[in-house]
Short mmCIF file of all heavy atoms in Angstrom, two decimals:
data_model
loop_
_atom_site.label_atom_id
_atom_site.label_comp_id
_atom_site.label_asym_id
_atom_site.label_seq_id
_atom_site.Cartn_x
_atom_site.Cartn_y
_atom_site.Cartn_z
N ALA A 1 -7.11 65.55 -34.02
CA ALA A 1 -8.29 64.69 -34.18
C ALA A 1 -7.93 63.21 -34.21
O ALA A 1 -8.83 62.37 -34.29
CB ALA A 1 -9.03 65.07 -35.45
N SER A 2 -6.63 62.90 -34.16
CA SER A 2 -6.14 61.50 -34.21
C SER A 2 -6.65 60.79 -35.46
O SER A 2 -7.19 59.67 -35.41
CB SER A 2 -6.58 60.74 -32.95
OG SER A 2 -6.04 61.33 -31.80
N ILE A 3 -6.48 61.45 -36.62
CA ILE A 3 -6.85 60.86 -37.89
C ILE A 3 -5.68 60.98 -38.86
O ILE A 3 -4.75 61.76 -38.63
CB ILE A 3 -8.10 61.54 -38.49
CG1 ILE A 3 -7.86 63.05 -38.66
CG2 ILE A 3 -9.34 61.30 -37.63
CD1 ILE A 3 -9.02 63.79 -39.29
N ASP A 4 -5.72 60.22 -39.95
CA ASP A 4 -4.65 60.29 -40.95
C ASP A 4 -5.22 60.52 -42.34
O ASP A 4 -4.66 60.06 -43.34
CB ASP A 4 -3.80 59.02 -40.92
CG ASP A 4 -4.62 57.75 -41.15
OD1 ASP A 4 -5.85 57.86 -41.37
OD2 ASP A 4 -4.04 56.65 -41.14
N THR A 5 -6.32 61.25 -42.43
CA THR A 5 -6.96 61.54 -43.71
C THR A 5 -6.04 62.37 -44.60
O THR A 5 -5.37 63.29 -44.14
CB THR A 5 -8.28 62.31 -43.48
OG1 THR A 5 -9.09 61.58 -42.56
CG2 THR A 5 -9.04 62.49 -44.79
N GLU A 6 -6.02 62.03 -45.90
CA GLU A 6 -5.29 62.83 -46.88
C GLU A 6 -6.27 63.78 -47.56
O GLU A 6 -7.47 63.48 -47.69
CB GLU A 6 -4.63 61.92 -47.93
CG GLU A 6 -3.70 60.86 -47.35
CD GLU A 6 -2.38 61.44 -46.87
OE1 GLU A 6 -2.25 62.69 -46.83
OE2 GLU A 6 -1.49 60.66 -46.53
N TYR A 7 -5.75 64.93 -48.05
CA TYR A 7 -6.62 65.94 -48.62
C TYR A 7 -6.09 66.45 -49.97
O TYR A 7 -4.88 66.54 -50.18
CB TYR A 7 -6.75 67.15 -47.68
CG TYR A 7 -7.17 66.78 -46.28
CD1 TYR A 7 -6.25 66.82 -45.23
CD2 TYR A 7 -8.48 66.40 -46.01
CE1 TYR A 7 -6.64 66.48 -43.95
CE2 TYR A 7 -8.87 66.06 -44.72
CZ TYR A 7 -7.95 66.11 -43.70
OH TYR A 7 -8.33 65.77 -42.43
N ALA A 8 -7.02 66.77 -50.84
CA ALA A 8 -6.72 67.53 -52.06
C ALA A 8 -7.14 68.97 -51.79
O ALA A 8 -8.31 69.23 -51.49
CB ALA A 8 -7.48 66.96 -53.25
N ILE A 9 -6.18 69.89 -51.86
CA ILE A 9 -6.42 71.29 -51.49
C ILE A 9 -6.16 72.19 -52.68
O ILE A 9 -5.13 72.07 -53.35
CB ILE A 9 -5.52 71.71 -50.31
CG1 ILE A 9 -5.75 70.79 -49.10
CG2 ILE A 9 -5.78 73.16 -49.93
CD1 ILE A 9 -4.82 71.04 -47.94
N ARG A 10 -7.10 73.08 -52.95
CA ARG A 10 -6.94 74.09 -54.00
C ARG A 10 -7.08 75.47 -53.36
O ARG A 10 -8.08 75.75 -52.70
CB ARG A 10 -7.98 73.90 -55.10
CG ARG A 10 -7.87 74.94 -56.23
CD ARG A 10 -8.99 74.77 -57.24
NE ARG A 10 -8.86 73.51 -57.93
CZ ARG A 10 -8.14 73.32 -59.03
NH1 ARG A 10 -7.47 74.34 -59.55
NH2 ARG A 10 -8.09 72.15 -59.60
N LEU A 11 -6.07 76.31 -53.57
CA LEU A 11 -6.06 77.66 -52.99
C LEU A 11 -5.96 78.69 -54.11
O LEU A 11 -5.01 78.69 -54.88
CB LEU A 11 -4.89 77.81 -52.03
CG LEU A 11 -4.62 79.22 -51.48
CD1 LEU A 11 -5.80 79.73 -50.67
CD2 LEU A 11 -3.34 79.23 -50.64
N GLU A 12 -6.96 79.56 -54.19
CA GLU A 12 -6.97 80.66 -55.14
C GLU A 12 -6.74 81.94 -54.36
O GLU A 12 -7.60 82.36 -53.56
CB GLU A 12 -8.30 80.72 -55.88
CG GLU A 12 -8.38 81.78 -56.95
CD GLU A 12 -7.69 81.39 -58.25
OE1 GLU A 12 -7.38 80.19 -58.42
OE2 GLU A 12 -7.45 82.29 -59.08
N LYS A 13 -5.58 82.58 -54.56
CA LYS A 13 -5.24 83.74 -53.78
C LYS A 13 -5.55 85.04 -54.50
O LYS A 13 -5.22 85.21 -55.67
CB LYS A 13 -3.75 83.72 -53.39
CG LYS A 13 -3.44 82.72 -52.28
CD LYS A 13 -2.13 83.05 -51.57
CE LYS A 13 -2.20 84.32 -50.77
NZ LYS A 13 -3.15 84.26 -49.63
N LYS A 14 -6.18 85.96 -53.76
CA LYS A 14 -6.36 87.34 -54.20
C LYS A 14 -5.71 88.31 -53.23
O LYS A 14 -5.45 89.45 -53.58
CB LYS A 14 -7.85 87.65 -54.33
CG LYS A 14 -8.55 86.87 -55.44
CD LYS A 14 -10.00 87.29 -55.58
CE LYS A 14 -10.69 86.53 -56.71
NZ LYS A 14 -12.12 86.91 -56.84
N ILE A 15 -5.45 87.84 -51.99
CA ILE A 15 -4.76 88.66 -51.00
C ILE A 15 -3.26 88.57 -51.27
O ILE A 15 -2.70 87.47 -51.32
CB ILE A 15 -5.05 88.17 -49.57
CG1 ILE A 15 -6.57 88.14 -49.31
CG2 ILE A 15 -4.36 89.04 -48.54
CD1 ILE A 15 -6.95 87.46 -48.01
N PRO A 16 -2.59 89.69 -51.48
CA PRO A 16 -1.15 89.64 -51.79
C PRO A 16 -0.35 89.00 -50.65
O PRO A 16 -0.72 89.08 -49.48
CB PRO A 16 -0.77 91.12 -51.94
CG PRO A 16 -2.06 91.84 -52.18
CD PRO A 16 -3.11 91.07 -51.46
N ILE A 17 0.75 88.37 -51.02
CA ILE A 17 1.66 87.75 -50.05
C ILE A 17 2.64 88.81 -49.53
O ILE A 17 3.10 89.68 -50.27
CB ILE A 17 2.42 86.58 -50.70
CG1 ILE A 17 1.42 85.48 -51.09
CG2 ILE A 17 3.49 86.03 -49.77
CD1 ILE A 17 2.05 84.33 -51.86
N GLY A 18 2.97 88.72 -48.23
CA GLY A 18 3.91 89.67 -47.65
C GLY A 18 3.37 91.07 -47.59
O GLY A 18 4.12 92.06 -47.68
N ALA A 19 2.03 91.18 -47.41
CA ALA A 19 1.38 92.48 -47.46
C ALA A 19 0.97 93.01 -46.10
O ALA A 19 0.52 94.14 -45.98
CB ALA A 19 0.14 92.40 -48.36
N GLY A 20 1.08 92.18 -45.04
CA GLY A 20 0.61 92.61 -43.73
C GLY A 20 -0.90 92.62 -43.63
O GLY A 20 -1.46 93.34 -42.81
N LEU A 21 -1.55 91.79 -44.46
CA LEU A 21 -3.01 91.73 -44.47
C LEU A 21 -3.54 90.42 -43.89
O LEU A 21 -4.75 90.17 -43.95
CB LEU A 21 -3.52 91.90 -45.91
CG LEU A 21 -3.29 93.28 -46.54
CD1 LEU A 21 -3.70 93.27 -48.01
CD2 LEU A 21 -4.07 94.35 -45.78
N GLY A 22 -2.68 89.58 -43.37
CA GLY A 22 -3.14 88.35 -42.74
C GLY A 22 -3.61 87.30 -43.71
O GLY A 22 -4.40 86.42 -43.35
N GLY A 23 -3.15 87.35 -44.95
CA GLY A 23 -3.59 86.37 -45.95
C GLY A 23 -3.26 84.94 -45.57
O GLY A 23 -4.13 84.07 -45.61
N GLY A 24 -2.02 84.70 -45.16
CA GLY A 24 -1.63 83.34 -44.77
C GLY A 24 -2.36 82.89 -43.53
O GLY A 24 -2.79 81.73 -43.43
N SER A 25 -2.54 83.79 -42.57
CA SER A 25 -3.24 83.44 -41.34
C SER A 25 -4.71 83.12 -41.60
O SER A 25 -5.28 82.19 -41.03
CB SER A 25 -3.13 84.58 -40.32
OG SER A 25 -1.79 84.79 -39.94
N SER A 26 -5.35 83.91 -42.48
CA SER A 26 -6.75 83.64 -42.79
C SER A 26 -6.90 82.33 -43.54
O SER A 26 -7.87 81.59 -43.34
CB SER A 26 -7.35 84.80 -43.60
OG SER A 26 -6.73 84.91 -44.86
N ASN A 27 -5.92 82.00 -44.39
CA ASN A 27 -5.95 80.70 -45.07
C ASN A 27 -5.84 79.55 -44.08
O ASN A 27 -6.53 78.53 -44.21
CB ASN A 27 -4.81 80.61 -46.09
CG ASN A 27 -4.93 81.58 -47.25
OD1 ASN A 27 -3.96 81.88 -47.91
ND2 ASN A 27 -6.13 82.10 -47.48
N ALA A 28 -4.96 79.70 -43.09
CA ALA A 28 -4.80 78.66 -42.08
C ALA A 28 -6.08 78.48 -41.27
O ALA A 28 -6.51 77.35 -41.01
CB ALA A 28 -3.63 79.01 -41.15
N ALA A 29 -6.70 79.60 -40.88
CA ALA A 29 -7.94 79.52 -40.11
C ALA A 29 -9.05 78.89 -40.94
O ALA A 29 -9.82 78.07 -40.44
CB ALA A 29 -8.35 80.92 -39.66
N ALA A 30 -9.14 79.28 -42.21
CA ALA A 30 -10.16 78.70 -43.08
C ALA A 30 -9.96 77.19 -43.23
O ALA A 30 -10.93 76.43 -43.27
CB ALA A 30 -10.11 79.37 -44.45
N THR A 31 -8.71 76.76 -43.28
CA THR A 31 -8.42 75.32 -43.38
C THR A 31 -8.92 74.59 -42.15
O THR A 31 -9.57 73.54 -42.26
CB THR A 31 -6.91 75.10 -43.56
OG1 THR A 31 -6.48 75.74 -44.77
CG2 THR A 31 -6.57 73.62 -43.63
N LEU A 32 -8.63 75.13 -40.97
CA LEU A 32 -9.12 74.50 -39.74
C LEU A 32 -10.64 74.43 -39.72
O LEU A 32 -11.23 73.40 -39.35
CB LEU A 32 -8.62 75.26 -38.52
CG LEU A 32 -7.12 75.21 -38.22
CD1 LEU A 32 -6.79 76.09 -37.03
CD2 LEU A 32 -6.65 73.77 -37.96
N ARG A 33 -11.29 75.50 -40.12
CA ARG A 33 -12.75 75.54 -40.09
C ARG A 33 -13.35 74.58 -41.12
O ARG A 33 -14.35 73.89 -40.85
CB ARG A 33 -13.24 76.97 -40.32
CG ARG A 33 -12.89 77.90 -39.15
CD ARG A 33 -13.14 79.35 -39.45
NE ARG A 33 -14.54 79.60 -39.76
CZ ARG A 33 -15.03 80.83 -39.99
NH1 ARG A 33 -14.23 81.87 -39.93
NH2 ARG A 33 -16.30 80.99 -40.26
N LEU A 34 -12.76 74.53 -42.31
CA LEU A 34 -13.27 73.63 -43.35
C LEU A 34 -13.09 72.17 -42.96
O LEU A 34 -13.99 71.34 -43.16
CB LEU A 34 -12.55 73.91 -44.67
CG LEU A 34 -12.99 75.16 -45.43
CD1 LEU A 34 -12.03 75.43 -46.59
CD2 LEU A 34 -14.40 74.98 -45.97
N LEU A 35 -11.94 71.84 -42.40
CA LEU A 35 -11.70 70.45 -41.99
C LEU A 35 -12.63 70.07 -40.84
O LEU A 35 -13.08 68.92 -40.75
CB LEU A 35 -10.24 70.26 -41.58
CG LEU A 35 -9.23 70.36 -42.73
CD1 LEU A 35 -7.81 70.14 -42.21
CD2 LEU A 35 -9.54 69.34 -43.82
N ASN A 36 -12.92 71.03 -39.98
CA ASN A 36 -13.85 70.74 -38.89
C ASN A 36 -15.24 70.41 -39.45
O ASN A 36 -15.92 69.50 -38.96
CB ASN A 36 -13.92 71.94 -37.94
CG ASN A 36 -14.40 71.56 -36.57
OD1 ASN A 36 -14.02 70.52 -36.02
ND2 ASN A 36 -15.25 72.39 -35.97
N GLU A 37 -15.65 71.14 -40.48
CA GLU A 37 -16.93 70.83 -41.13
C GLU A 37 -16.87 69.48 -41.83
O GLU A 37 -17.82 68.69 -41.78
CB GLU A 37 -17.28 71.93 -42.14
CG GLU A 37 -17.68 73.25 -41.52
CD GLU A 37 -18.11 74.26 -42.58
OE1 GLU A 37 -18.44 73.83 -43.70
OE2 GLU A 37 -18.11 75.45 -42.27
N LEU A 38 -15.75 69.22 -42.50
CA LEU A 38 -15.59 67.96 -43.23
C LEU A 38 -15.67 66.75 -42.30
O LEU A 38 -16.13 65.68 -42.69
CB LEU A 38 -14.25 67.98 -43.97
CG LEU A 38 -14.01 66.90 -45.03
CD1 LEU A 38 -14.99 67.06 -46.18
CD2 LEU A 38 -12.58 67.00 -45.55
N HIS A 39 -15.24 66.96 -41.06
CA HIS A 39 -15.24 65.88 -40.07
C HIS A 39 -16.34 66.08 -39.02
O HIS A 39 -16.16 65.75 -37.84
CB HIS A 39 -13.87 65.78 -39.41
CG HIS A 39 -12.79 65.32 -40.35
ND1 HIS A 39 -12.63 64.01 -40.72
CD2 HIS A 39 -11.84 66.02 -41.01
CE1 HIS A 39 -11.61 63.90 -41.57
NE2 HIS A 39 -11.10 65.12 -41.75
N ASN A 40 -17.46 66.63 -39.47
CA ASN A 40 -18.68 66.71 -38.64
C ASN A 40 -18.49 67.52 -37.35
O ASN A 40 -18.91 67.10 -36.27
CB ASN A 40 -19.19 65.31 -38.31
CG ASN A 40 -19.49 64.51 -39.56
OD1 ASN A 40 -20.13 65.01 -40.48
ND2 ASN A 40 -19.01 63.27 -39.60
#
């Protein structure tokens, strides 16, 4: 997006880590979607 915005991020995990459930991937996707909303 050619921006340099800083963010405060809070992550509350219920999906176990290293479980093969895509927890990290879903968090990454949610971040992209949330930032897209934040930037209109």
Side-chain angles (χ1 to χ4, degrees):
S2 299
I3 57 178
D4 57 2
T5 307
E6 304 286 8
Y7 306 107
I9 303 175
R10 179 184 294 272
L11 172 61
E12 184 79 14
K13 285 201 68 65
K14 293 184 179 179
I15 304 171
I17 295 175
L21 293 173
S25 296
S26 65
N27 294 160
T31 299
L32 292 177
R33 292 170 60 176
L34 283 170
L35 292 180
N36 202 41
E37 289 184 19
L38 192 64
H39 292 282
N40 302 314

